């Protein structure tokens, strides 16, 4: 019997819960799932129960990153590069990449590797910042004109991430147009693509101005699911 996904519906959790719901749609007791670029957890903080629920719904969950020593709920951890995945062809039914694409210097190579390890009909789910959102675009510009330590200080002021969880950004595959082009050259076909709306301002002092910007610029995240053609 199918279980109802344990989402809260709270505004603060909306982005992660939309991503989790997309993942849940592709999980069965037979699913072999790779979370590529996994870090130490699947979702944001305070969502432990939902993360555990997702992992328990799959047959096998593997977390892979360049450096991975511990994870909240994935027990099988593998060190490796998304440019050269240490897995055989057709090893997984599902691959997820959460806030990974924006850091890649060679997204074409990464997507090709993901396509290689997916079975035919398998799914790739990407959750990544939308370059056309005002805050993301500002970060992209600042990454080119500011010293990196100054940009990182601004990022830390706008969210609760630890310094070791903030990485250089490149935004080479962060529009729907660019993602579609990448997928089409690697045998993947977009199944769903959504720009998730921003839920809060980045900075408290500029909240009034940002509320206006939120209404006139696209959503803050791109949630895209593509399937490997059969």
């Amino acid at each position: 019997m199918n279980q109802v996904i344990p989402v809260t519906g709270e505004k603060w959790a909306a982005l992660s819960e939309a991503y989790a719901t997309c993942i849940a749609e592709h999980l069965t007791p037979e699913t072999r799932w790779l979370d590529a670029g996994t870090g130490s957890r699947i979702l944001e903080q305070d969502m432990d129960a939902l993360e555990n629920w997702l992992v328990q719904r799959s047959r096998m969950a593997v977390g892979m990153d360049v450096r991975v020593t511990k994870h909240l709920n994935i027990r099988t951890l593998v060190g490796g590069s998304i440019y050269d995945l240490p897995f055989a062809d057709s090893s997984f039914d599902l691959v997820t990449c959460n806030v990974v694409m924006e850091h890649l210097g060679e997204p074409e190579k990464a997507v090709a590797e993901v396509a290689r390890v997916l079975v035919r009909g398998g799914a790739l789910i990407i959750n990544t910042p939308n370059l056309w959102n005002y805050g993301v675009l500002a970060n992209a510009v600042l990454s080119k004109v500011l010293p990196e330590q100054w940009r990182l200080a601004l990022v830390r002021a706008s969210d609760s991430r630890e310094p070791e969880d903030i990485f250089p950004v490149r935004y080479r595959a962060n529009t729907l147009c660019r993602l579609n082009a990448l997928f089409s050259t690697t045998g993947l076909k977009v199944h769903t693509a959504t720009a998730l709306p921003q839920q809060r301002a980045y900075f408290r002092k500029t909240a009034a101005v940002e509320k206006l910007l939120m209404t006139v610029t696209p959503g803050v995240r791109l949630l895209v699911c593509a399937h490997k053609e059969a």
Side-chain angles (χ1 to χ4, degrees), residues 12-99:
W12 68 268
L15 296 178
S16 281
E17 290 186 346
Y19 175 56
T21 298
C22 189
I23 293 173
E25 292 171 355
H26 294 82
L27 294 178
T28 74
E30 300 303 318
T31 301
R32 298 164 296 170
W33 171 17
L34 170 65
D35 190 42
T38 195
S40 60
R41 59 187 306 149
I42 300 167
L43 306 174
E44 62 186 275
Q45 292 182 358
D46 301 322
M47 307 194 77
D48 301 16
L50 179 52
E51 292 192 49
N52 289 331
W53 185 90
L54 290 172
V55 171
Q56 292 164 7
R57 293 280 291 171
S58 64
R59 168 186 165 189
M60 175 184 74
V62 178
M64 191 222 73
D65 213 328
V66 175
R67 295 186 301 275
V68 56
T69 57
K70 63 179 181 178
H71 198 281
L72 177 66
N73 35 47
I74 294 178
R75 299 292 169 255
T76 303
L77 301 174
V78 177
S81 168
I82 197 169
Y83 300 127
D84 186 18
L85 293 172
F87 307 105
D89 295 359
S90 305
S91 294
F92 296 97
D93 307 289
L94 172 66
V95 177
T96 55
C97 293
N98 188 30
V99 289

Side-chain angles (χ1 to χ4, degrees), residues 123-140:
L124 165 63
I125 298 175
I126 286 174
N127 186 31
T128 191
N130 182 6
L131 182 60
W132 301 131
N133 172 266
Y134 72 95
V136 180
L137 184 59
N139 191 41

Side-chain angles (χ1 to χ4, degrees), residues 111-153:
V111 173
E113 270 294 276
V114 168
R116 179 184 66 78
V117 302
L118 275 174
V119 299
R120 293 191 178 275
L124 165 63
I125 298 175
I126 286 174
N127 186 31
T128 191
N130 182 6
L131 182 60
W132 301 131
N133 172 266
Y134 72 95
V136 180
L137 184 59
N139 191 41
V141 172
L142 291 176
S143 70
K144 297 182 182 301
V145 301
L146 281 185
E148 183 66 1
Q149 64 269 27
W150 293 9
R151 186 191 69 84
L152 294 181

